């Protein structure tokens, strides 16, 4: 159902849109994980905010949160808790990243019309944002600013989010590598203290890797490199010694019968 404030869903429609059984939706409602629906007689109407909340719950469950912890996060939103405390509930407690609270209008300004339901769902799945009612918390001011800058340069937000997913996989592997190295030789207590060294190694290696790629793209292909068909080729003379007189002589004629 379309209303002036956006689409509305009956209970069964909302459950289908969120990909959950109706009984799960009702369970969340009983646990007060969802705000009350709008009532029209005996019919309960839900809106996009309820759908966003359900996607947030699914993303947090995938990341290992319990329903009790999600309920605490929900209460934090509703009570306007400090974003630093929200960051702890979102799983980034003790991180150097600074969470930031945004209104939907401000978020739309950051990404210039690219805040579609599909992109919002992808951001929720990644854990970049959590949403409650009309408030949104992004887990990292730095990631928010970088993502916004890429979109302003012309990179689609969907591509930024997909790249973020792939970067997350590599970052997890790097974190495991350095944590194992430091823990094995210096103990677990040294991991936090030496984290800046790991960050410096990763930044230096990434910089050099991008430099190498840039040089490869700027260098013309050599004899052993495949030629880019988009690049026009200069005609090459035939190989091997040539007899100037033979080259100048007319081709022999075949006698006609």
């Amino acid at each position: 159902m379309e209303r002036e404030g956006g689409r509305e869903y009956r209970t069964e429609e909302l459950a289908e849109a969120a990909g959950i059984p109706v009984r799960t939706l009702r369970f969340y409602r009983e646990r007060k994980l969802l705000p009350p629906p709008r009532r029209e007689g005996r019919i309960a109407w839900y809106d996009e905010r309820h759908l966003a909340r359900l996607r947030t719950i699914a993303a947090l469950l995938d990341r290992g949160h319990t329903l009790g912890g999600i309920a605490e996060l929900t209460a934090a939103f509703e009570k306007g808790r400090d974003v630093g405390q929200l960051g702890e509930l979102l799983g980034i407690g003790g991180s150097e990243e600074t969470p930031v609270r945004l209104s939907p209008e401000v978020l739309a300004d950051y990404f210039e019309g690219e805040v579609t339901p599909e992109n919002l769902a992808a951001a929720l799945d990644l854990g970049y944002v959590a949403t409650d009612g009309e408030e949104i918390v992004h887990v990292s001011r730095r990631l928010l600013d970088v993502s916004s800058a890429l979109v302003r340069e012309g990179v689609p937000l969907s591509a930024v989010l997909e790249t973020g997913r792939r970067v997350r996989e590599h970052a997890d592997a790097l974190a495991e590598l350095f944590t194992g190295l430091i823990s094995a030789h210096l103990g677990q207590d040294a991991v936090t203290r030496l984290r800046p060294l790991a960050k410096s190694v990763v930044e230096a290696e990434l910089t050099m890797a991008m430099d190498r790629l840039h040089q490869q793209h700027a260098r013309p292909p050599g004899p052993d490199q495949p030629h880019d068909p988009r690049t026009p080729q200069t005609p090459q003379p035939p190989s091997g010694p040539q007899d100037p007189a033979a080259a100048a002589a007319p081709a022999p004629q075949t006698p006609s019968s």
Side-chain angles (χ1 to χ4, degrees):
M1 175 179 176
E2 295 290 340
R3 287 174 57 87
E4 185 176 345
R7 181 175 178 183
E8 287 194 321
Y9 306 82
R10 293 174 182 262
T11 301
E12 295 78 7
E13 294 171 337
L14 180 65
E16 182 180 0
I20 60 174
V22 171
R23 64 178 180 273
T24 301
L25 171 58
R26 289 175 175 153
F27 175 73
Y28 290 163
R29 179 72 185 86
E30 292 169 2
R31 292 288 299 269
K32 301 187 183 303
L33 294 173
L34 287 176
R38 182 180 70 83
R39 292 285 178 178
E40 191 175 272
R42 297 175 60 88
I43 301 176
W45 289 103
Y46 299 87
D47 57 27
E48 295 290 348
R49 295 175 299 172
H50 294 93
L51 181 57
R53 172 73 72 84
L54 289 173
R55 286 172 172 164
T56 300
I57 292 172
L60 291 173
L61 287 173
D62 287 343
R63 295 172 63 198
H65 289 266
T66 64
L67 285 177
I70 295 171
E72 185 180 357
L73 175 61
T74 299
F77 273 110
E78 292 171 347
K79 294 176 182 177
R81 193 177 298 183
D82 179 77
V83 292
Q85 294 172 291
L86 289 171
E88 294 180 4
L89 293 172
L90 287 167
I92 57 170
S95 172
E96 297 174 11
E97 300 306 309
T98 303
V100 55
R101 187 188 293 273
L102 303 163
S103 69
E105 293 77 16
V106 172
L107 185 67
D109 289 342
Y110 264 94
F111 295 104
E112 300 181 350
E114 296 245 359
V115 184
T116 63
E118 293 78 13
N119 286 336
L120 179 58
L124 289 168
D125 290 341
L126 275 169
Y128 281 173
V129 299
T131 178
D132 186 88
E134 296 183 355
E135 291 187 311
I136 297 169
V137 168
H138 196 292
V139 297
S140 169
R141 165 65 73 179
R142 287 199 295 180
L143 286 177
L144 174 65
D145 290 343
V146 169
S147 300
S148 176
L150 287 170
V151 170
R152 288 197 303 270
E153 290 289 337
V155 181
L157 180 56
S158 58
V160 172
L161 292 170
E162 177 56 30
T163 300
R165 188 183 302 278
R166 296 174 63 186
V167 168
R168 172 78 57 81
E169 295 172 359
H170 293 292
D172 286 344
L174 288 168
E176 185 175 352
L177 176 65
F178 281 105
T179 299
L181 172 70
I182 296 171
S183 298
H185 294 278
L186 302 173
Q188 182 66 31
D189 293 341
V191 172
T192 300
R193 179 171 58 86
L194 297 181
R195 183 164 60 179
L197 300 182
K199 289 168 57 179
S200 295
V201 171
V202 172
E203 182 177 356
E205 287 287 358
L206 178 60
T207 298
M208 291 189 292
M210 294 187 76
D211 286 343
R212 289 193 296 271
L213 280 176
H214 176 74
Q215 291 168 5
Q216 290 174 13
H217 293 160
R219 185 185 307 125
D224 297 330
Q225 293 178 293
H227 177 73
D228 188 341
R230 295 170 297 181
T231 304
Q233 290 182 287
T234 302
Q236 299 294 322
S239 58
Q242 296 289 319
D243 182 348
Q253 299 294 319
T254 304
S256 57
S257 56

